[in-house]
């Protein structure tokens, strides 16, 4: 195939074509921010207590019918128990007042008449509508996990679909399907249907996220590629995350909220005519004329002159005959690719367990939940900005290992902090989350640079599947804290430190040209492996001539 970056170098690194695509692809990521996290408000549990359905009781006896319980050091009304309504009725009929009776000696019963929910903050949520409290409380985190289960399926399927049918078709199909499923979810008549639909929301959302990521990696210039896959994608995801609480603040009913979030997707319809197919993918499929047409259009918009022949037909024909179809087996075919894949899977799983584990382990903050959500999103912005600037001038491998050591190391230190120093323990936990957030940024672009064009989307899809296993596992890791509160920190910290060591065995991709074929990927691995002992010419290695040419291009 030759080299796409070299063949299209005449386009330059900047220009209207790249700037427009950079803006449009980032705009798509804003939707992923509020579509992926609306469960925070839709699944919120309002303050509640047992319903006391007896109009003959006085207001005093109605309030006294709810026992007081100590929760987190505070005395508050029980959410799952009430005093026996029959007993309370008899006492009230005999003329007793609550002050005349030792209420703690009264018989208790479950909320057999349902619950009464506060509407001070939320007018309606799935919790208040379907009584997902007390014995049914597990249904809320399970509903949340169905999104990650959908991520798992979407990660496995979307890569193969976009490698087969094209990035653009899968991107906009996922965007439309996600909006329609969210709309259907707003009409759910049961918790089970809500969960089933939420599963498909996750499937289409991760497909949208990954396909847009790969499309941007393949179609943008080298300088914008790093900016898009780091600060661009993640920061615009944060923008959606920050916008969500204000939409939820204005719309307190969960069904209306979902319909509004679904309707926002309409603004993306014109993008179908503005975002082209990946010319790299078209070239990998042997569709030279279509790929050249997009490149020539890019040259026209950038006001540069394209050569008469952009891609060599003989090279494309030879390459497409070898790379027409790829599957998951190709990611595991050779020992070099297999080792790279296994280490990437470990990295993605460890990062997700740590990130989501810390997110789930953070206790509910006091104060306004909408403001808390906004501040939570804002705290991730510095991590994305710092990692973006480091990626521009630093090698990927040591940077990722350093962030992982920061994340895991601070977690391992938490167990050494005395009980009285709560602020210091919280600071260490937040520092650990800061490290995991930066690791998220690096691992995406690092993985995209490791795999060749013909397997890039498939490789990232597999890694994202491992990430989803990590996010599904995270709640159970945190559950270990019921046995020993330091156990989750020890487990997450140890796993992260281990993954940082495994990361050092991956090849460096900084200032390397993106591989196009399996052969180029394997050569890169052989070159990295021999880097300590000098270059070797011959089968499975990169010649000195190729190495010099590559460095010359990168310097230009």
């Amino acid at each position: 195939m030759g080299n796409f970056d070299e063949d299209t170098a005449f386009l330059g690194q900047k220009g209207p074509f790249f700037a427009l695509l950079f803006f449009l692809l980032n705009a798509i990521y804003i939707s992923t921010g509020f579509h992926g996290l609306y469960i925070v408000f839709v699944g919120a549990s309002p303050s509640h207590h047992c319903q006391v359905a007896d109009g003959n009781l006085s207001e005093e006896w109605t309030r006294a019918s709810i026992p007081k319980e100590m929760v987190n050091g505070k005395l508050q009304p029980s959410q799952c128990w009430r005093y026996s309504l029959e007993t309370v009725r008899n006492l009230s009929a005999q003329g007793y007042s609550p002050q005349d009776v030792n209420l703690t000696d009264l018989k208790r019963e479950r909320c057999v008449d349902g619950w009464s929910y506060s509407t001070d903050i939320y007018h309606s949520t799935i919790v208040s509508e379907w009584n997902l409290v007390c014995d049914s409380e597990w249904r809320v985190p399970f509903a949340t996990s169905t999104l990650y289960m959908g991520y798992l399926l979407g990660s496995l399927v979307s890569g193969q679909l976009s490698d087969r049918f094209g990035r653009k078709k899968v991107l906009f199909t996922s965007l439309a399907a996600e909006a329609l499923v969210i709309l259907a979810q707003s009409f759910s008549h049961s918790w089970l249907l809500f969960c089933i639909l939420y599963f498909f929301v996750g499937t289409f959302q991760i497909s949208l996220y990954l396909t847009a990521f790969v499309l941007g990696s393949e179609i943008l210039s080298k300088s914008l590629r790093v900016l898009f896959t780091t600060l661009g994608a993640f920061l615009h995801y944060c923008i959606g995350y920050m916008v969500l609480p204000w939409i939820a603040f204005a719309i307190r009913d969960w069904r209306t909220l979902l319909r509004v979030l679904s309707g926002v997707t309409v603004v993306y319809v014109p993008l179908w005519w503005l975002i082209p197919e990946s010319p790299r993918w078209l070239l990998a499929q042997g569709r030279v004329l279509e790929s050249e047409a997009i490149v020539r259009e890019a040259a026209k918009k950038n006001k540069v002159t394209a050569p008469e022949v952009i891609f060599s037909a003989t090279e494309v024909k030879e390459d497409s005959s070898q790379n027409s179809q790829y599957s998951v087996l190709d990611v595991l075919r050779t020992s070099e690719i297999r080792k790279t894949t296994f280490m990437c899977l470990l990295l993605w799983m460890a990062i997700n367990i740590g990130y989501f584990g810390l997110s789930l382990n953070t206790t509910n903050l006091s104060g306004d939940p909408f403001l808390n959500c906004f501040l939570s999103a804002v705290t991730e912005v510095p991590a994305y900005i710092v990692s973006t600037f480091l990626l521009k001038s630093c090698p990927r491998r040591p940077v990722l290992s350093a962030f992982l050591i920061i994340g895991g190391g601070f977690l391992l230190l938490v167990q050494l902090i005395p009980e009285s120093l709560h602020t210091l323990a919280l600071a260490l936990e937040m520092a650990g989350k800061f490290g995991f957030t930066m690791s998220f940024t690096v691992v995406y672009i690092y993985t995209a640079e490791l795999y060749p064009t013909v397997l890039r989307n498939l490789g990232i899809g597999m890694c994202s599947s491992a990430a989803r296993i990590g996010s599904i596992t995270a709640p159970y890791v945190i559950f270990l804290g019921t046995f020993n509160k330091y156990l989750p920190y020890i487990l997450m910290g140890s796993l992260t430190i281990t993954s940082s060591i495994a990361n050092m065995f991956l090849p460096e991709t900084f200032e390397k040209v993106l591989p196009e074929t399996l052969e180029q990927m394997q050569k890169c691995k052989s070159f990295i492996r021999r880097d300590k002992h000098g270059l070797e010419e011959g089968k499975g290695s990169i010649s000195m001539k190729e190495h010099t040419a590559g460095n010359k291009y990168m310097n230009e």
Side-chain angles (χ1 to χ4, degrees):
M1 189 188 297
N3 187 279
F4 183 88
D5 286 332
E6 292 179 355
D7 292 338
T8 60
F10 64 89
L11 292 174
Q13 293 299 307
K14 298 180 181 178
F17 176 78
F18 294 128
L20 178 63
L21 285 178
F22 181 79
F23 171 76
L24 295 179
L25 289 172
N26 280 324
I28 290 178
Y29 277 106
I30 296 177
S31 70
T32 63
F34 46 72
H35 283 172
L37 295 167
Y38 61 73
I39 191 66
V40 172
F41 301 106
V42 170
S45 180
S47 298
H48 57 275
H49 57 77
C50 292
Q51 179 76 38
V52 181
D54 193 325
N56 296 323
L57 289 178
S58 65
E59 183 177 345
E60 186 180 24
W61 266 114
T62 300
R63 288 197 304 268
S65 298
I66 308 300
K68 301 292 184 179
E69 293 180 346
M70 189 67 69
V71 179
N72 296 324
K74 296 181 179 180
L75 198 63
Q76 63 183 36
S78 174
Q79 297 181 334
C80 301
W81 294 91
R82 71 180 184 185
Y83 293 121
S84 171
L85 189 56
E86 183 179 354
T87 303
V88 171
R89 264 199 220 102
N90 291 336
L91 291 172
S92 176
Q94 295 174 20
Y96 290 100
S97 69
Q99 291 76 24
D100 300 330
V101 180
N102 186 359
L103 296 175
T104 57
D105 293 336
L106 299 182
K107 179 183 176 182
R108 295 188 180 190
E109 63 183 7
R110 289 288 187 175
C111 301
V112 294
D113 295 319
W115 288 261
S116 176
Y117 297 91
S118 170
T119 57
D120 294 339
I121 299 177
Y122 307 103
H123 295 167
S124 173
T125 69
I126 61 172
V127 174
S128 61
E129 183 159 336
W130 296 318
N131 291 327
L132 306 183
V133 293
C134 300
D135 290 342
S136 297
E137 192 174 7
W138 62 271
R139 299 189 180 207
V140 178
F142 182 85
T144 305
S145 70
T146 57
L147 179 74
Y148 300 123
M149 295 176 189
Y151 279 6
L152 179 58
L153 176 62
S155 301
L156 291 171
V157 175
S158 65
Q160 298 187 55
L161 289 177
S162 64
D163 283 341
R164 187 178 187 88
F165 299 107
R167 314 323 193 193
K168 181 178 178 179
K169 290 181 180 178
V170 174
L171 173 68
F172 284 95
T173 299
S174 300
L175 185 62
E178 181 191 25
L180 291 175
V181 174
I182 292 176
L183 180 62
Q185 194 180 29
S186 71
F187 293 96
S188 300
H189 58 76
S190 68
W191 167 81
L192 179 59
L193 180 59
F194 180 92
C195 291
I196 293 173
L197 293 173
Y198 204 33
F199 173 85
F200 288 105
V201 170
T203 301
F204 292 121
Q205 185 179 112
I206 197 63
S207 175
L208 168 67
Y209 195 100
L210 294 175
T211 307
F213 184 88
V214 172
L215 179 58
S217 300
E218 294 180 347
I219 202 171
L220 293 174
S221 62
K222 185 179 65 176
S223 60
L224 285 179
R225 184 188 308 148
V226 175
L227 188 61
F228 169 74
T229 52
T230 53
L231 192 60
F234 291 105
L235 192 56
H236 283 77
Y237 169 85
C238 266
I239 291 175
Y241 189 1
M242 289 186 284
V243 169
L244 172 65
W246 302 115
I247 298 176
F249 176 80
I251 305 171
R252 307 295 181 96
D253 175 74
W254 74 272
R255 293 185 185 272
T256 307
L257 175 62
L258 291 188
R259 289 162 192 165
V260 170
L261 294 179
S262 173
V264 171
T265 309
V266 174
V267 302
Y268 295 111
V269 172
L271 271 60
W272 170 264
W273 292 276
L274 298 175
I275 297 178
E277 180 57 88
S278 166
R280 285 181 187 265
W281 177 82
L282 290 171
L283 198 60
Q285 302 301 308
R287 296 160 62 175
V288 187
L289 295 179
E290 295 176 67
S291 181
E292 283 196 351
I294 294 173
V295 175
R296 292 188 188 280
E297 180 65 21
K300 181 180 178 181
K301 291 181 178 179
N302 285 354
K303 297 180 180 180
V304 297
T305 303
E308 293 186 8
V309 178
I310 299 177
F311 306 114
S312 171
T314 54
E315 290 180 348
V316 173
K317 182 177 179 181
E318 178 183 354
D319 184 80
S320 61
S321 65
Q322 299 174 358
N323 301 296
S324 57
Q325 298 293 333
Y326 289 91
S327 65
V328 176
L329 295 178
D330 292 289
V331 183
L332 307 172
R333 190 173 298 279
T334 67
S335 60
E336 290 290 354
I337 299 177
R338 191 161 52 245
K339 286 191 292 185
T340 297
T341 299
F342 285 155
M343 283 187 281
C344 285
L345 294 179
L346 174 62
L347 281 171
W348 284 61
M349 186 180 298
I351 291 171
N352 274 264
I353 289 177
Y355 178 83
F356 287 105
L358 290 178
S359 298
L360 295 171
N361 195 48
T362 304
T363 57
N364 293 327
L365 300 176
S366 59
D368 188 273
F370 305 102
L371 180 59
N372 290 340
C373 180
F374 175 76
L375 295 176
S376 177
V378 170
T379 56
E380 296 189 10
V381 175
Y384 294 140
I385 295 176
V386 171
S387 57
T388 296
F389 283 105
L390 289 177
L391 282 171
K392 286 186 175 181
S393 57
C394 299
R396 282 61 165 122
R397 186 171 52 189
V399 166
L400 180 56
S401 290
F403 290 161
L404 290 170
I405 291 173
I406 290 173
F410 281 121
L411 293 188
L412 291 176
L413 291 176
V414 171
Q415 60 184 314
L416 305 178
I417 305 303
E419 291 278 350
S420 57
L421 299 178
H422 300 292
T423 304
L424 179 57
L426 180 61
L428 289 177
E429 187 170 339
M430 291 301 101
K433 187 177 182 181
F434 185 82
F436 283 111
T437 302
M438 292 192 292
S439 298
F440 255 120
T441 310
V442 179
V443 78
Y444 263 95
I445 187 171
Y446 193 16
T447 305
E449 292 175 343
L450 284 170
Y451 285 101
T453 300
V454 294
L455 287 177
R456 187 167 295 120
N457 213 26
L458 186 60
I460 292 179
M462 286 190 62
C463 291
S464 185
S465 298
R468 302 292 71 81
I469 295 175
S471 58
I472 294 172
T473 304
Y476 299 98
V477 173
I478 297 304
F479 179 72
L480 295 176
T482 58
F483 303 100
N484 185 314
K485 71 175 185 177
Y486 295 120
L487 194 56
Y489 296 110
I490 295 173
L491 185 59
M492 290 187 293
S494 301
L495 181 60
T496 306
I497 297 297
T498 302
S499 66
S500 70
I501 297 173
N503 174 63
M504 296 306 296
F505 291 94
L506 285 171
E508 182 55 68
T509 61
F510 182 58
E511 293 192 341
K512 301 287 192 303
V513 178
L514 285 179
E516 304 284 350
T517 66
L518 282 170
E519 289 73 18
Q520 291 178 5
M521 182 183 181
Q522 289 175 308
K523 286 180 181 179
C524 181
K525 303 305 176 291
S526 298
F527 169 73
I528 294 297
R529 191 177 61 246
R530 291 179 172 86
D531 204 27
K532 297 179 182 179
H533 308 291
L535 293 168
E536 295 182 18
E537 299 243 9
K539 183 178 181 180
S541 64
I542 293 179
S543 66
M544 181 64 75
K545 182 179 179 181
E546 293 172 316
H547 177 60
T548 304
N551 284 341
K552 180 180 179 182
Y553 167 71
M554 295 306 298
N555 290 332
E556 292 175 352

